Amino acid sequence: MEFGTKIKGLRTENQLTQEQFALRLNVTRQAVSNWENNRNLPDLEMLILIARSFHISLDELILGGNTVNNITEKLIQDGSETRRARFNMITTLIGAFLLFFGFACFFIKANSVEYIDQSGILHENFYLLPIGFFFIFTGIIVFLVIGINYVRELIRHRI
């Protein structure tokens, strides 16, 4: 059963007009009309309010039966988008840390003192250069992978 049909049935069972239903939920009549005509879907907080106000379980309201309806698909899609956004944020922070650490290695190398002691041994932090390049290269790779995945997702959603 489609979500719009479920909302309309719930409203008519309680003998409410769209205006009365909207007042009870503190939304506009147009919002209720959009829900009933499947033009728009309520957010999760509104679903909880509807379930509480009309003494219906969220399972019955969201699932509406054995088939997956449009509100269920929306909730599944929102959950996967949230996980993807969290993954992208964490990966971006890791990439930024790698870049920062690479530039810090260069900064330390540039500001360190190189000297030759009395026994003729050169004291220099040469090892900071390859480490810095490694971290900068790795940070750039992380940002490129995130960017390519983001562009692929945009293209996939537009098709």
Side-chain angles (χ1 to χ4, degrees):
M1 174 184 288
E2 289 293 318
F3 182 75
T5 309
K6 185 71 175 172
I7 288 292
K8 188 171 186 172
L10 187 62
R11 179 178 61 80
T12 54
E13 281 176 21
N14 288 286
Q15 300 173 348
L16 298 171
T17 65
Q18 284 184 346
E19 185 71 32
Q20 292 167 334
F21 191 81
L23 284 173
R24 198 161 172 185
L25 298 173
N26 200 23
V27 296
T28 63
R29 185 202 56 78
Q30 289 83 2
V32 174
S33 175
N34 287 336
W35 296 341
E36 289 183 358
N37 293 312
N38 290 316
R39 281 189 233 118
N40 201 353
L41 296 170
D43 60 4
L44 188 56
E45 292 176 21
M46 185 56 63
L47 289 171
I48 293 169
L49 180 63
I50 292 169
R52 284 185 181 160
S53 297
F54 295 98
H55 309 292
I56 185 172
S57 72
L58 278 174
D59 283 345
E60 189 177 340
L61 180 63
I62 294 172
L63 298 176
N66 295 332
T67 60
V68 175
N69 59 21
N70 53 358
I71 192 72
T72 309
E73 289 173 2
K74 178 184 184 251
L75 290 173
I76 292 169
Q77 181 181 1
D78 288 350
S80 65
E81 287 175 4
T82 301
R83 281 190 301 276
R84 191 175 357 204
R86 187 178 301 129
F87 174 76
N88 285 344
M89 181 187 69
I90 290 169
T91 310
T92 302
L93 289 173
I94 290 170
F97 173 76
L98 291 170
L99 286 173
F100 174 76
F101 195 71
F103 285 120
C105 288
F106 286 145
F107 180 78
I108 292 169
K109 170 67 176 122
N111 292 312
S112 64
V113 177
E114 301 164 355
Y115 64 94
I116 299 175
D117 64 9
Q118 286 183 339
S119 60
I121 297 176
L122 174 64
H123 294 275
E124 177 183 19
N125 328 4
F126 179 73
Y127 62 89
L128 289 174
L129 289 176
I131 291 172
F133 279 119
F134 172 75
F135 281 115
I136 288 175
F137 177 73
T138 308
I140 289 171
I141 294 296
V142 167
F143 279 120
L144 284 175
V145 168
I146 293 171
I148 290 169
N149 282 339
Y150 180 71
V151 169
R152 276 189 9 214
E153 288 295 321
L154 285 177
I155 292 171
R156 190 174 72 178
H157 285 300
R158 287 189 181 192
I159 293 177

